[in-house]
Amino acid sequence: MSSKVQSTGPRAKDHQASTPESLPTPEANAEAIHFLNSLRQEELQMLFFSETLAMVSNTGEPQGELTIDVQRGTHKNISGTMLHCPLVHAFSRGFMDKMLCGNSLLAGPLPPPQAIFHGIWRSRNNRVMSSSSYPAIPTTHNLETSPSRVLEFHILPMERKMSLLKQEDQLAMTRSIKEGEEVKTEVTFFPWHSTAGFISESANLLLLRVMAWRRMVPSNARFLALDMEGKLCSSTYQALGSQTIQVDHQQVEVFIVEQTVHSDEGIPTSCQFYLLPDGHLAKRVQVGSPGCCMITKMPVIRERDEIEPRPVFEKKPLMWEEDMELYSRFLDRKEELRLSHTRYLQQHPEATALISDFLLFLLLRQPADVVTFAAEHFGPFATCWSPTPGLRSSNRPSPFRALDPESF
């Protein structure tokens, strides 16, 4: 893993890149890879829907809303074939400590099925982007005309962006922080082979919907994710069981999944997701956060379409001899063919002579290979037949006509 830091702005000289300590690169285990490989295309068709959750504080006051939209996009693979893929767009806007904040996530199109949950893709033009903004940052200012020091709040909008993009055999992660007029950009490259089992934020939203449909979480599975500092770390999922909650004056059963991101440099961060049977998110709780996200209106629960098996019709024997109509047609057809054959032999008596001569010759010789004997017997009647030499030869020509390749 390599990184490069670049700063622009009036205070760019104050920022210097520090070289992090060498830590072992985390890897996804076999259970995680097996779970991703078990995903089926039919399951992905159930993930395309939009949902909106209200952001509320611990006292129940509304703080904003969170919208997650998964649409059907298209992706062109290496061979040029257009495939249907998910397009994930999630955004939130609300207040945090009485400050307006917003987050946005855009990813896709993602090729199905396993590459979706790796969070990365093969096209150079596709990327996942996430950003967050914080409008006001408090700063101190010493007023010369006042005998006391006063805290003055300046409006310093801060915007943080992160993008992931595959570049040849590497995954490029670009993180930028804009505070006022100053922009600090950091680019980190991860080897492509080390990103197997990587789950981005957008892939996590899809993976949770799959777990809700299956109502199970892969046991002992260890995936890869990015921590708050943009470094690869381990990510695990744990099923916390089922619980009945009230949504829009209805009692519904939800399946609770907890995701934990194990940062190598900080404390683990956990988030609990309360999922409805069809994958809708009923509630989202960040462990340690003073608020949560929850739905206010009960969505229409979608059910899995059960494909009925194709009917199997047993083959019954046809008793045509017992059917008077079929048996009558058989006798008529039999008599018609007999009269047609008799008429033909009467019109061509040479056919009877040829067949009689061949049968007589066959019974006299009684050869072991009847087919070759018949070819030698009727060969002289062919127009392209080459004359047989008068003297016997050890290299006898084949009585069969050579196949012409141009005739095929």
Side-chain angles (χ1 to χ4, degrees):
M1 180 180 69
S2 58
S3 61
K4 178 175 64 175
V5 181
Q6 179 180 2
S7 300
T8 60
R11 294 185 298 172
K13 60 181 180 180
D14 297 337
H15 297 278
Q16 296 182 356
S18 59
T19 304
E21 297 181 0
S22 178
L23 296 174
T25 304
E27 296 181 355
N29 59 5
E31 289 79 2
I33 301 299
H34 175 73
F35 182 80
L36 296 178
N37 292 334
S38 67
L39 300 172
R40 301 187 303 273
Q41 184 68 26
E42 295 77 12
E43 292 180 300
L44 303 182
Q45 303 303 320
M46 309 301 297
L47 308 181
F48 302 109
F49 58 87
S50 179
E51 56 186 345
T52 300
L53 291 83
M55 301 169 57
V56 296
S57 63
N58 53 358
T59 59
E61 298 179 359
Q63 300 291 326
E65 66 177 15
L66 167 66
T67 300
I68 302 174
D69 186 20
V70 180
Q71 299 180 359
R72 190 188 307 270
T74 56
H75 167 74
K76 181 181 293 186
N77 59 9
I78 300 178
S79 61
T81 305
M82 299 299 297
L83 303 175
H84 293 287
C85 312
L87 174 63
V88 182
H89 185 203
F91 56 93
S92 65
R93 180 178 294 271
F95 290 90
M96 180 181 298
D97 295 334
K98 298 182 180 181
M99 291 190 301
L100 182 63
C101 303
N103 290 275
S104 178
L105 173 68
L106 179 62
L110 309 180
Q114 289 79 13
I116 292 177
F117 300 101
H118 283 205
I120 37 188
W121 39 92
R122 301 181 186 278
S123 176
R124 293 174 177 267
N125 300 323
N126 299 331
R127 65 177 64 194
V128 56
M129 297 187 63
S130 62
S131 63
S132 58
S133 59
Y134 304 89
I137 303 297
T139 59
T140 60
H141 179 62
N142 188 10
L143 299 180
E144 298 292 342
T145 59
S146 175
S148 62
R149 178 168 295 183
V150 179
L151 280 176
E152 186 175 284
F153 288 84
H154 294 281
I155 302 300
L156 294 178
M158 184 174 69
E159 184 178 8
R160 305 172 66 177
K161 290 184 178 181
M162 182 180 69
S163 65
L164 296 174
L165 183 64
K166 181 181 183 298
Q167 297 180 354
E168 297 180 354
D169 58 345
Q170 296 185 105
L171 176 63
M173 179 188 67
T174 304
R175 301 174 70 242
S176 63
I177 300 177
K178 181 180 180 181
E179 184 178 349
E181 298 180 357
E182 182 183 4
V183 179
K184 180 181 179 182
T185 304
E186 179 182 1
V187 182
T188 306
F189 297 92
F190 301 97
W192 181 256
H193 62 82
S194 66
T195 59
F198 170 68
I199 303 296
S200 66
E201 294 184 24
S202 57
N204 175 60
L205 299 175
L206 300 178
L207 192 62
L208 289 170
R209 295 184 177 185
V210 174
M211 293 179 182
W213 275 107
R214 296 186 179 184
R215 295 191 68 83
M216 61 85 65
V217 173
S219 59
N220 301 324
R222 186 178 65 253
F223 300 89
L224 294 181
L226 293 176
D227 59 10
M228 297 298 294
E229 300 300 326
K231 295 180 174 56
L232 276 179
C233 60
S234 301
S235 174
T236 58
Y237 294 87
Q238 181 181 2
L240 301 183
S242 300
Q243 182 179 341
T244 301
I245 63 174
Q246 183 175 354
V247 177
D248 195 16
H249 306 290
Q250 299 184 33
Q251 297 292 328
V252 293
E253 185 179 1
V254 294
F255 180 62
I256 307 176
V257 178
E258 183 180 63
Q259 181 199 17
T260 303
V261 178
H262 306 272
S263 177
D264 294 333
E265 299 181 358
I267 61 175
T269 58
S270 299
C271 191
Q272 297 177 357
F273 300 89
Y274 295 68
L275 302 166
L276 295 175
D278 65 342
H280 277 90
L281 185 59
K283 188 177 180 181
R284 178 184 180 274
V285 178
Q286 177 108 20
V287 178
S289 175
C292 65
C293 299
M294 58 190 309
I295 58 174
T296 58
K297 184 178 180 180
M298 184 66 184
V300 178
I301 302 299
R302 304 187 305 169
E303 297 181 357
R304 188 186 300 271
D305 297 332
E306 295 184 0
I307 302 177
E308 297 182 357
R310 299 180 61 181
V312 179
F313 300 98
E314 297 182 359
K315 191 174 183 180
K316 298 181 179 180
L318 179 61
M319 308 299 294
W320 61 272
E321 294 181 353
E322 299 179 0
D323 191 314
M324 296 299 296
E325 183 179 357
L326 292 178
Y327 189 68
S328 176
R329 291 184 179 181
F330 166 73
L331 294 179
D332 295 342
R333 179 59 177 167
K334 181 179 179 181
E335 182 64 18
E336 180 183 353
L337 291 175
R338 189 188 65 82
L339 294 177
S340 175
H341 297 166
T342 303
R343 188 182 307 110
Y344 180 82
L345 292 177
Q346 290 177 353
Q347 295 174 356
H348 300 277
E350 65 277 10
T352 304
L354 286 173
I355 295 174
S356 300
D357 182 59
F358 171 72
L359 290 177
L360 180 60
F361 199 36
L362 179 68
L363 295 176
L364 290 175
R365 293 291 183 90
Q366 297 183 358
D369 190 353
V370 179
V371 177
T372 304
F373 179 81
E376 293 177 347
H377 178 79
F378 291 104
F381 295 97
T383 57
C384 59
W385 175 261
S386 57
T388 305
L391 300 177
R392 291 184 177 271
S393 174
S394 59
N395 186 17
R396 299 180 59 185
S398 173
F400 299 100
R401 178 174 58 88
L403 296 179
D404 186 5
E406 297 181 357
S407 62
F408 292 96

